[in-house]
């Protein structure tokens, strides 16, 4: 397994929310040792997926990693909520745009339908309570409390994600 950097581009502007969920999932399902560097870029909203500052941050993380790891590979994963993808045209279109952008750039897309909280803790969380629930998940979640099958979905369904599908594909490379 060659060394890798995975750059997770999350919707949030608060590094502790989405990052906490992603880090915990990685901890529970994968044992990377030192072969995987995790980096995060915070988009401050999924509509800013192709914003100049997001592109610049991704580029800097790739360059910095490649300087010290000539054999290492960089992977970029956009992590977004699908929101009301199943019932709202605007949400479908936005996700399709992000998906096309990722495909064009050679990036990966991880989606959580409807939200990361609904998939991982089972219910929608009010904005002012998101940090509290993310911290609780980071402390307490484990392989028995997380529904692994809900993270291996290859089509968008409520309370499902493709998180493990995407990560397993990257690990095989």
């Amino acid at each position: 397994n060659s060394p890798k950097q995975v750059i997770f581009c999350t919707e949030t502007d608060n590094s502790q929310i989405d990052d906490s969920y992603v880090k915990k999932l990685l901890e529970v399902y994968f044992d990377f040792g030192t072969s995987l560097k995790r980096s995060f870029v915070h988009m401050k909203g999924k509509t800013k997926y192709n914003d100049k500052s997001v592109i610049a941050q991704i580029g800097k993380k790739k360059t910095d990693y490649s300087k010290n790891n000539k054999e290492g590979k960089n992977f970029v994963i956009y992590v977004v909520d699908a929101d009301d993808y199943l019932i709202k045209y605007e949400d479908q279109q936005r996700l399709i745009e992000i998906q096309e952008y990722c495909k064009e750039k050679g990036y990966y897309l991880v989606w959580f339908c409807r939200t990361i909280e609904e998939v991982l803790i089972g219910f929608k969380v009010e904005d002012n309570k998101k940090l509290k629930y993310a911290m609780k998940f980071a402390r307490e979640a484990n392989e028995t409390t997380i529904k692994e099958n809900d993270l291996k979905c290859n089509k968008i369904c409520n309370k499902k994600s493709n998180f493990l599908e995407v990560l397993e594909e990257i690990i095989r490379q």
Side-chain angles (χ1 to χ4, degrees), residues 33-168:
T34 58
S35 67
L36 180 86
K37 176 177 175 31
R38 299 171 309 207
S39 299
F40 290 86
V41 169
H42 305 106
M43 296 185 285
K44 298 180 174 86
K46 74 171 78 58
T47 59
K48 297 184 179 178
Y49 67 92
N50 61 353
D51 193 77
K52 285 179 185 162
S53 70
V54 171
I55 293 166
Q57 288 177 67
I58 291 169
K60 180 169 179 9
K61 289 185 184 300
K62 284 176 154 185
T63 302
D64 291 350
Y65 180 74
S66 296
K67 281 180 192 170
N68 300 322
N69 296 279
K70 302 290 181 219
E71 303 297 312
K73 292 182 178 179
N74 284 291
F75 297 90
V76 177
I77 302 176
Y78 276 69
V79 180
V80 299
D81 292 337
D83 297 329
D84 287 320
Y85 177 90
L86 298 170
I87 57 173
K88 274 191 177 172
Y89 179 76
E90 314 85 78
D91 290 350
Q92 289 174 4
Q93 289 308 113
R94 183 173 37 240
L95 200 62
I96 288 168
E97 273 178 37
I98 296 169
Q99 198 168 21
E100 288 172 356
Y101 178 80
C102 288
K103 188 175 180 182
E104 174 188 308
K105 294 287 189 184
Y107 297 166
Y108 294 82
L109 177 64
V110 164
W111 44 262
F112 288 87
C113 188
R114 297 177 350 152
T115 66
I116 197 166
E117 292 87 4
E118 285 180 59
V119 174
L120 298 175
I121 58 177
F123 53 90
K124 187 169 173 56
V125 175
E126 295 171 40
D127 285 348
N128 65 344
K129 294 185 178 157
K130 285 187 179 221
L131 180 59
K132 174 184 152 190
Y133 279 99
M135 296 294 99
K136 182 176 174 19
F137 181 84
R139 277 191 318 273
E140 299 173 7
N142 59 52
E143 55 279 341
T144 58
T145 60
I146 301 169
K147 297 176 183 146
E148 183 175 341
N149 285 341
D150 290 352
L151 300 172
K152 290 184 168 187
C153 200
N154 57 14
K155 67 175 191 173
I156 296 178
C157 307
N158 275 334
K159 295 191 177 182
K160 304 283 187 207
S161 174
N162 65 339
F163 184 87
L164 291 177
E165 294 278 310
V166 171
L167 264 292
E168 287 168 358

